[in-house]
Short mmCIF file of all heavy atoms in Angstrom, two decimals:
data_model
loop_
_atom_site.label_atom_id
_atom_site.label_comp_id
_atom_site.label_asym_id
_atom_site.label_seq_id
_atom_site.Cartn_x
_atom_site.Cartn_y
_atom_site.Cartn_z
N ALA A 477 -2.96 31.24 10.10
CA ALA A 477 -4.20 30.75 9.54
C ALA A 477 -4.17 29.23 9.45
O ALA A 477 -3.10 28.63 9.31
CB ALA A 477 -4.43 31.35 8.15
N PRO A 478 -5.31 28.57 9.55
CA PRO A 478 -5.33 27.10 9.44
C PRO A 478 -4.92 26.64 8.05
O PRO A 478 -5.15 27.33 7.05
CB PRO A 478 -6.78 26.74 9.77
CG PRO A 478 -7.55 27.98 9.49
CD PRO A 478 -6.65 29.12 9.80
N ALA A 479 -4.30 25.46 7.98
CA ALA A 479 -3.80 24.95 6.71
C ALA A 479 -4.90 24.30 5.88
O ALA A 479 -4.89 24.39 4.65
CB ALA A 479 -2.67 23.95 6.96
N VAL A 480 -5.85 23.62 6.53
CA VAL A 480 -6.91 22.89 5.82
C VAL A 480 -8.25 23.42 6.31
O VAL A 480 -8.54 23.37 7.52
CB VAL A 480 -6.81 21.37 6.06
CG1 VAL A 480 -7.95 20.65 5.33
CG2 VAL A 480 -5.46 20.85 5.60
N VAL A 481 -9.07 23.93 5.39
CA VAL A 481 -10.41 24.39 5.70
C VAL A 481 -11.39 23.34 5.18
O VAL A 481 -11.41 23.03 3.98
CB VAL A 481 -10.71 25.77 5.06
CG1 VAL A 481 -12.12 26.22 5.40
CG2 VAL A 481 -9.69 26.79 5.55
N LEU A 482 -12.19 22.78 6.06
CA LEU A 482 -13.10 21.71 5.68
C LEU A 482 -14.25 22.27 4.86
O LEU A 482 -14.81 23.33 5.19
CB LEU A 482 -13.65 21.02 6.93
CG LEU A 482 -12.60 20.39 7.87
CD1 LEU A 482 -13.26 19.80 9.09
CD2 LEU A 482 -11.80 19.34 7.13
N PRO A 483 -14.63 21.60 3.77
CA PRO A 483 -15.76 22.09 2.96
C PRO A 483 -17.07 22.10 3.73
O PRO A 483 -17.91 22.96 3.53
CB PRO A 483 -15.79 21.12 1.77
CG PRO A 483 -15.05 19.90 2.23
CD PRO A 483 -14.03 20.38 3.21
N SER A 484 -17.23 21.13 4.63
CA SER A 484 -18.42 21.08 5.49
C SER A 484 -17.94 20.83 6.91
O SER A 484 -17.22 19.85 7.16
CB SER A 484 -19.36 19.95 5.07
OG SER A 484 -19.83 20.16 3.74
N PRO A 485 -18.28 21.71 7.86
CA PRO A 485 -17.82 21.51 9.25
C PRO A 485 -18.27 20.17 9.80
O PRO A 485 -19.37 19.68 9.51
CB PRO A 485 -18.44 22.68 10.00
CG PRO A 485 -18.75 23.70 8.95
CD PRO A 485 -19.08 22.94 7.71
N LEU A 486 -17.40 19.56 10.61
CA LEU A 486 -17.71 18.28 11.24
C LEU A 486 -18.34 18.50 12.60
O LEU A 486 -17.82 19.30 13.40
CB LEU A 486 -16.44 17.45 11.39
CG LEU A 486 -15.72 17.03 10.10
CD1 LEU A 486 -14.44 16.27 10.43
CD2 LEU A 486 -16.64 16.18 9.23
N PRO A 487 -19.46 17.82 12.92
CA PRO A 487 -20.04 17.98 14.25
C PRO A 487 -19.13 17.38 15.31
O PRO A 487 -18.43 16.40 15.09
CB PRO A 487 -21.36 17.20 14.14
CG PRO A 487 -21.16 16.25 13.01
CD PRO A 487 -20.23 16.92 12.06
N ALA A 488 -19.12 17.99 16.47
CA ALA A 488 -18.24 17.56 17.56
C ALA A 488 -18.95 17.76 18.89
O ALA A 488 -19.99 18.44 18.98
CB ALA A 488 -16.92 18.33 17.52
N THR A 489 -18.38 17.17 19.91
CA THR A 489 -18.86 17.31 21.28
C THR A 489 -17.69 17.71 22.16
O THR A 489 -16.65 17.03 22.16
CB THR A 489 -19.47 16.00 21.79
OG1 THR A 489 -20.53 15.59 20.91
CG2 THR A 489 -20.02 16.17 23.19
N VAL A 490 -17.85 18.79 22.91
CA VAL A 490 -16.80 19.28 23.80
C VAL A 490 -17.32 19.20 25.23
O VAL A 490 -18.38 19.78 25.55
CB VAL A 490 -16.38 20.72 23.45
CG1 VAL A 490 -15.31 21.21 24.41
CG2 VAL A 490 -15.87 20.78 22.01
N LEU A 491 -16.61 18.47 26.09
CA LEU A 491 -17.03 18.26 27.48
C LEU A 491 -15.95 18.77 28.42
O LEU A 491 -14.78 18.88 28.06
CB LEU A 491 -17.27 16.77 27.74
CG LEU A 491 -18.28 16.06 26.79
CD1 LEU A 491 -18.35 14.58 27.13
CD2 LEU A 491 -19.64 16.71 26.86
N ASP A 492 -16.38 19.09 29.65
CA ASP A 492 -15.43 19.50 30.67
C ASP A 492 -14.91 18.29 31.42
O ASP A 492 -15.19 17.14 31.04
CB ASP A 492 -16.06 20.52 31.62
CG ASP A 492 -17.28 19.95 32.35
OD1 ASP A 492 -17.48 18.71 32.29
OD2 ASP A 492 -18.02 20.73 32.96
N GLY A 493 -14.16 18.50 32.50
CA GLY A 493 -13.58 17.40 33.23
C GLY A 493 -14.59 16.49 33.88
O GLY A 493 -14.33 15.30 34.10
N ALA A 494 -15.80 17.01 34.20
CA ALA A 494 -16.84 16.20 34.82
C ALA A 494 -17.77 15.55 33.80
O ALA A 494 -18.76 14.92 34.19
CB ALA A 494 -17.65 17.07 35.79
N GLY A 495 -17.49 15.73 32.51
CA GLY A 495 -18.32 15.13 31.48
C GLY A 495 -19.52 15.96 31.09
O GLY A 495 -20.42 15.45 30.39
N ARG A 496 -19.58 17.23 31.51
CA ARG A 496 -20.69 18.10 31.16
C ARG A 496 -20.35 18.89 29.89
O ARG A 496 -19.19 19.25 29.67
CB ARG A 496 -21.00 19.06 32.30
CG ARG A 496 -21.48 18.38 33.57
CD ARG A 496 -21.92 19.41 34.60
NE ARG A 496 -20.81 20.28 34.97
CZ ARG A 496 -20.01 20.06 36.01
NH1 ARG A 496 -20.18 18.98 36.77
NH2 ARG A 496 -19.03 20.89 36.29
N PRO A 497 -21.37 19.20 29.06
CA PRO A 497 -21.11 20.00 27.85
C PRO A 497 -20.59 21.39 28.21
O PRO A 497 -21.04 22.02 29.18
CB PRO A 497 -22.47 20.06 27.17
CG PRO A 497 -23.24 18.90 27.72
CD PRO A 497 -22.76 18.72 29.12
N VAL A 498 -19.64 21.87 27.43
CA VAL A 498 -19.07 23.20 27.62
C VAL A 498 -19.86 24.19 26.79
O VAL A 498 -20.21 23.92 25.63
CB VAL A 498 -17.58 23.22 27.21
CG1 VAL A 498 -17.00 24.62 27.35
CG2 VAL A 498 -16.79 22.24 28.07
N GLY A 499 -20.14 25.35 27.37
CA GLY A 499 -20.86 26.40 26.67
C GLY A 499 -20.22 27.75 26.87
O GLY A 499 -19.21 27.89 27.58
N VAL A 500 -20.82 28.78 26.26
CA VAL A 500 -20.35 30.16 26.38
C VAL A 500 -21.54 31.01 26.81
O VAL A 500 -22.61 30.96 26.18
CB VAL A 500 -19.76 30.68 25.05
CG1 VAL A 500 -19.34 32.14 25.18
CG2 VAL A 500 -18.57 29.83 24.62
N SER A 501 -21.36 31.80 27.87
CA SER A 501 -22.45 32.60 28.41
C SER A 501 -22.67 33.84 27.57
O SER A 501 -21.91 34.13 26.63
CB SER A 501 -22.15 32.98 29.86
OG SER A 501 -21.04 33.88 29.90
N ALA A 502 -23.72 34.59 27.91
CA ALA A 502 -24.01 35.84 27.20
C ALA A 502 -22.92 36.86 27.40
O ALA A 502 -22.78 37.79 26.60
CB ALA A 502 -25.36 36.39 27.66
N ARG A 503 -22.16 36.74 28.48
CA ARG A 503 -21.05 37.65 28.75
C ARG A 503 -19.74 37.14 28.13
O ARG A 503 -18.67 37.63 28.47
CB ARG A 503 -20.87 37.84 30.26
CG ARG A 503 -22.02 38.55 30.92
CD ARG A 503 -21.76 38.70 32.40
NE ARG A 503 -22.81 39.46 33.04
CZ ARG A 503 -22.81 40.79 33.18
NH1 ARG A 503 -21.79 41.48 32.69
NH2 ARG A 503 -23.81 41.41 33.77
N LEU A 504 -19.87 36.16 27.25
CA LEU A 504 -18.73 35.61 26.53
C LEU A 504 -17.74 34.94 27.47
O LEU A 504 -16.51 35.02 27.29
CB LEU A 504 -18.03 36.69 25.70
CG LEU A 504 -18.92 37.45 24.73
CD1 LEU A 504 -18.12 38.52 24.01
CD2 LEU A 504 -19.56 36.52 23.74
N GLU A 505 -18.26 34.26 28.48
CA GLU A 505 -17.43 33.52 29.40
C GLU A 505 -17.66 32.02 29.21
O GLU A 505 -18.81 31.58 29.06
CB GLU A 505 -17.75 33.91 30.85
CG GLU A 505 -17.44 35.37 31.17
CD GLU A 505 -17.83 35.72 32.59
OE1 GLU A 505 -18.51 34.88 33.23
OE2 GLU A 505 -17.47 36.80 33.05
#
Side-chain angles (χ1 to χ4, degrees):
V480 179
V481 180
L482 301 178
S484 299
L486 297 177
T489 303
V490 179
L491 305 177
D492 61 12
R496 296 187 298 267
V498 177
V500 177
S501 67
R503 294 181 176 270
L504 306 178
E505 297 177 350

